C-alpha cells in the first residue's frame, strides 16, 4: 500500500493472509514436485526450495525477490532442471505481490525482468515463434501485473471510502452539534426575552415600592414581604442569567454556572431554603447531615430542588400554621430526603393545573439519577420521600 498507515485490524488480516499464502504455496509446490514433475536430483530440489523461499520473502522484499527469481528461472532453464514451470508459477506469484504492494518504477522494472527471463528461455524459438513467446510473456508477467494492480486499486478505493465515510460521520456530528447549539441559543433568547425581562421588571418595581414606603408609616410585615419578594426575585433573576449562560455557551460556563450550587455549599443552601420557608409562615424543623457536602454537583442540586419544591408545596397546601419537617441524611450509599407536613389538621388535596407539574419534575429528576420518589397523603398532611444513589454504580463510594 506504499506507506499508508492502515488500521491494525487490516494489518492483522494481512498477516493471516500471508500465513495462508505460505501454506498454500508450500502445498502446491510440494504436490507439483511429488506428483507431476518429480525432480530427479538434489539440484532440482535445491532450485525448487530456493524459488519457494524467495516467494515467501516477497511479503517484505517483493522487488528483490522477483529479480532473484528471474535470474533463478534463467539458471534453471540453462541447467535443464525439471522445475522450470514451478519456478515460473512462483515468480508470477511474487510479481502479483509486488503489484499489490507498489506501483511505479520498481513494478515496471520487476515486470520487465520477469518478461525478459521468459524471453531468454525461449531464444531458440525466435524469431519463428515470436507470437507464442509474446503470449507466454504476457501470461507469466502481464496477468499477475493486472491482477495485482486491480487488488491495489480496490484496496485504495476501500481506504478512500472508509475515509470519506469517517468524514461524513464527523460532518454529521458537527451538524448535530451546530443544531443543538442553535436550539440552545433560541431557548436562551426566549428565556431572556420572555422570562428574564418580566422578572427583572418585577424586581425593579418591588425595589421602587421598598423605597416609596416610608419606614414606620405602614405595617412592618409589609416591609418584610417586600424585602423577601425583592430577594427572591433577585435570586431568580441570577439563576435565569446563569441558565441562559449555560445554554448559550456550555463549554465556557464557569463551575458554579452549570450547577447553580457548589457541593460544599449545599448545607448552607438548604439552610437558606429553610429560612425562606419560615418567612412564608411555615414552621420548619430541619435536620441536614453534614456529609451531603461531599455529594457531587448533580446530586447536590437534586437534593436542593427537592427541598425547595417540597417545602414550597407544604407552605402552599399545608394551611396557616402548618408544621413541616425536613430531613436529609446519608446512609447505605444513598441520600435520603424526607419532607413531611402536618397540614395543620387540614386534608391535603393536590391542586389541578400547572401547579401539579412540580411533583412530575421532581420525579423525572430523581428517575434520571437512578433513584426513587414517593409522595402522597399521610395520616396528617403530606409526606414526600426520595432516595438518590450517593455515587454512580461504577464508582467507589466516597461517603
Amino acid at each position: 500500500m506504499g506507506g499508508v498507515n492502515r488500521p491494525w485490524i487490516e494489518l492483522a488480516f494481512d498477516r493471516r493472509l500471508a500465513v495462508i499464502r505460505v501454506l498454500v504455496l508450500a502445498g502446491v509446490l510440494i504436490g507439483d514436485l511429488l506428483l507431476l514433475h518429480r525432480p530427479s536430483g538434489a539440484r532440482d530440489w535445491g532450485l525448487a526450495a530456493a524459488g519457494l523461499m524467495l516467494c515467501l520473502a516477497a511479503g517484505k522484499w517483493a522487488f528483490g525477490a522477483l529479480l532473484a527469481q528471474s535470474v533463478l528461472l534463467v539458471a534453471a532453464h540453462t541447467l535443464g532442471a525439471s522445475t522450470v514451470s514451478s519456478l515460473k508459477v512462483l515468480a508470477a506469484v511474487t510479481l502479483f505481490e509486488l503489484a499489490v504492494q507498489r506501483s511505479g518504477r520498481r513494478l515496471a522494472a520487476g515486470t520487465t525482468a520477469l518478461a525478459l527471463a521468459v524471453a531468454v528461455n525461449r531464444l531458440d524459438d525466435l524469431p519463428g515463434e515470436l507470437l507464442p513467446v509474446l503470449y507466454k510473456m504476457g501470461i507469466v508477467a502481464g496477468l499477475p501485473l493486472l491482477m495485482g494492480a486491480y487488488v491495489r486499486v480496490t484496496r485504495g478505493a476501500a481506504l478512500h471510502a472508509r475515509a470519506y465515510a469517517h468524514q461524513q460521520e464527523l460532518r454529521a456530528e458537527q451538524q448535530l452539534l451546530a443544531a443543538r447549539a442553535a436550539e440552545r441559543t433560541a431557548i436562551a433568547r426566549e428565556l431572556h426575552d420572555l422570562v428574564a425581562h418580566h422578572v427583572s421588571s418585577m424586581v425593579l418595581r418591588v425595589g421602587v415600592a421598598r423605597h416609596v414606603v416610608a419606614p414606620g408609616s405602614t405595617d412592618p410585615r409589609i416591609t418584610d414581604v417586600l424585602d423577601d419578594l425583592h430577594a427572591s426575585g433577585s435570586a431568580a433573576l441570577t439563576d435565569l442569567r446563569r441558565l441562559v449562560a449555560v445554554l448559550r455557551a456550555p463549554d465556557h460556563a464557569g463551575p458554579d454556572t452549570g450547577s447553580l450550587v457548589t457541593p460544599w455549599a449545599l448545607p448552607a443552601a438548604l439552610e437558606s431554603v429553610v429560612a425562606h420557608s419560615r418567612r412564608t409562615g411555615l414552621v420548619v424543623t430541619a435536620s441536614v447531615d453534614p456529609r451531603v457536602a461531599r455529594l457531587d454537583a448533580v446530586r447536590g442540586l437534586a437534593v436542593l430542588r427537592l427541598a425547595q419544591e417540597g417545602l414550597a408545596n407544604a407552605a402552599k397546601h399545608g394551611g396557616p400554621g402548618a408544621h413541616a419537617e425536613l430531613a436529609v441524611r446519608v446512609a447505605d450509599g444513598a441520600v435520603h430526603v424526607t419532607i413531611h407536613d402536618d397540614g395543620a389538621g387540614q386534608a391535603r388535596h393536590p391542586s389541578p393545573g400547572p401547579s401539579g407539574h412540580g411533583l412530575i419534575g421532581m420525579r423525572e429528576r430523581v428517575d434520571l439519577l437512578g433513584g426513587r420518589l414517593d409522595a402522597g397523603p399521610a395520616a396528617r398532611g403530606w409526606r414526600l420521600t426520595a432516595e438518590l444513589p450517593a455515587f454512580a454504580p461504577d464508582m467507589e463510594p466516597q461517603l
Side-chain angles (χ1 to χ4, degrees):
M1 293 297 291
V4 177
N5 294 324
R6 292 174 289 177
W8 68 270
I9 295 179
E10 184 176 346
L11 292 176
F13 181 71
D14 287 348
R15 293 191 186 99
R16 291 183 180 181
L17 287 181
V19 173
I20 295 175
R21 180 173 60 85
V22 169
L23 297 177
V24 171
L25 287 176
V28 170
L29 182 62
I30 292 174
D32 178 77
L33 296 177
L34 293 179
L35 302 177
L36 299 179
H37 295 90
R38 298 177 182 177
S40 57
R43 182 193 60 186
D44 292 351
W45 282 103
L47 292 172
L52 179 61
M53 295 302 296
L54 289 173
C55 186
L56 297 180
K60 289 187 176 181
W61 307 286
F63 179 68
L66 181 59
L67 294 181
Q69 281 183 326
S70 300
V71 175
L72 185 64
L73 183 61
V74 174
H77 184 271
T78 303
L79 295 174
S82 60
T83 57
V84 173
S85 58
S86 299
L87 294 178
K88 288 180 181 178
V89 174
L90 294 176
V93 172
T94 303
L95 176 58
F96 171 81
E97 290 287 340
L98 179 62
V100 169
Q101 297 177 16
R102 296 183 176 276
S103 61
R105 296 180 179 178
R106 288 197 173 188
L107 178 60
T111 304
T112 302
L114 181 58
L116 290 177
V118 174
V120 169
N121 290 344
R122 297 292 303 272
L123 284 178
D124 296 340
D125 299 331
L126 296 177
E129 300 291 331
L130 179 61
L131 290 180
V133 171
L134 293 177
Y135 178 77
K136 192 168 186 178
M137 293 170 60
I139 293 297
V140 176
L143 186 60
L145 173 65
L146 293 178
M147 293 178 62
Y150 174 77
V151 173
R152 186 183 70 253
V153 171
T154 303
R155 284 187 174 184
L159 287 176
H160 286 298
R162 284 197 294 269
Y164 178 77
H166 181 64
Q167 292 178 354
Q168 291 298 107
E169 291 178 359
L170 293 179
R171 185 176 302 174
E173 183 177 357
Q174 292 174 354
Q175 292 176 349
L176 178 60
L177 293 176
R180 289 178 176 175
E183 185 66 19
R184 285 196 302 266
T185 302
I187 294 174
R189 188 182 300 113
E190 292 174 359
L191 282 174
H192 181 271
D193 295 342
L194 300 179
V195 181
H197 173 72
H198 296 294
V199 175
S200 179
S201 177
M202 288 188 292
V203 171
L204 179 62
R205 292 179 183 180
V206 172
V208 172
R210 293 169 62 206
H211 290 285
V212 169
V213 176
S217 62
T218 184
D219 192 332
R221 291 177 296 181
I222 296 179
T223 304
D224 293 339
V225 171
L226 290 176
D227 292 341
D228 183 62
L229 284 174
H230 188 270
S232 299
S234 299
L237 188 60
T238 301
D239 287 350
L240 279 173
R241 287 171 177 168
R242 289 173 175 174
L243 181 59
V244 169
V246 171
L247 289 172
R248 285 180 173 173
D251 295 334
H252 298 85
D256 187 55
T257 302
S259 62
L260 304 181
V261 58
T262 53
W264 56 266
L266 180 58
L270 290 172
E271 288 295 331
S272 177
V273 171
V274 171
H276 176 76
S277 300
R278 287 169 179 166
R279 288 195 296 268
T280 64
L282 185 67
V283 180
V284 183
T285 301
S287 174
V288 178
D289 191 334
R291 290 181 295 174
V292 298
R294 300 176 62 181
L295 295 176
D296 62 278
V298 176
R299 287 164 179 79
L301 181 60
V303 171
L304 180 62
R305 293 294 181 251
L306 287 171
Q308 288 176 330
E309 187 69 24
L311 292 178
N313 287 340
K316 181 177 181 180
H317 301 287
H323 179 268
E325 296 179 358
L326 169 65
V328 181
R329 61 186 181 90
V330 179
D332 301 327
V335 185
H336 303 271
V337 180
T338 303
I339 302 173
H340 177 227
D341 69 86
D342 58 10
Q346 299 181 6
R348 170 73 175 264
H349 299 285
S351 59
S355 60
H357 292 303
L359 182 60
I360 297 176
M362 286 191 293
R363 194 178 302 278
E364 290 178 350
R365 185 186 293 268
V366 171
D367 289 342
L368 183 63
L369 296 176
R372 60 183 182 87
L373 183 143
D374 297 317
R380 294 185 62 187
W382 190 271
R383 184 180 182 86
L384 181 147
T385 60
E387 180 180 330
L388 295 173
F391 50 89
D394 56 346
M395 296 175 59
E396 291 293 329
Q398 300 178 353
L399 298 175

